[in-house]
Amino acid sequence: MLFHVKMDVHLPPDMDPDVRADTLAREKAYSQQLQRDGKWPHIWRITGQYSNVSIFDVASNDELHQLVSNLPLFPYMDIAVTPLATHPSDVKAG
């Protein structure tokens, strides 16, 4: 199942710099492992924002929830999820 996921990050301005650095390092490692595993095949930065648009390829809604809720930045995110389906005009889908 494919999902379009928009993530907006809102780190507290007074967050301890060491906690921030550790959280960002863990986020990068975890997200890159999901990419290597094929669960997170696409990620794009939204220009001018601390946000991204991503495509997840997972087996179920529950798997997506588990992966996203385990992101170290999850407590600081607003997340919007849209399930995707194949478009009938997609020449590659046939």
Side-chain angles (χ1 to χ4, degrees):
M1 298 176 70
L2 296 176
F3 294 89
H4 169 278
V5 181
K6 182 174 186 284
M7 299 178 222
D8 300 317
V9 181
H10 307 284
L11 291 176
D14 60 348
M15 184 178 224
D16 179 275
D18 293 334
V19 172
R20 177 186 169 98
D22 176 68
T23 303
L24 294 176
R26 290 184 297 112
E27 178 81 10
K28 184 174 185 175
Y30 179 67
S31 67
Q32 288 182 343
Q33 186 59 54
L34 292 176
Q35 291 171 61
R36 283 190 284 278
D37 293 343
K39 301 292 184 179
W40 196 336
H42 299 282
I43 182 171
W44 296 274
R45 168 75 66 212
I46 298 175
T47 303
Q49 299 177 30
Y50 196 172
S51 301
N52 76 73
V53 171
S54 295
I55 302 297
F56 281 80
D57 188 357
V58 294
S60 67
N61 295 338
D62 291 332
E63 182 182 9
L64 177 64
H65 181 76
Q66 177 189 4
L67 296 178
V68 172
S69 64
N70 284 328
L71 288 165
L73 287 175
F74 180 76
Y76 311 104
M77 290 183 175
D78 292 326
I79 299 173
V81 175
T82 305
L84 300 173
T86 303
H87 194 285
S89 296
D90 182 353
V91 297
K92 293 180 256 169

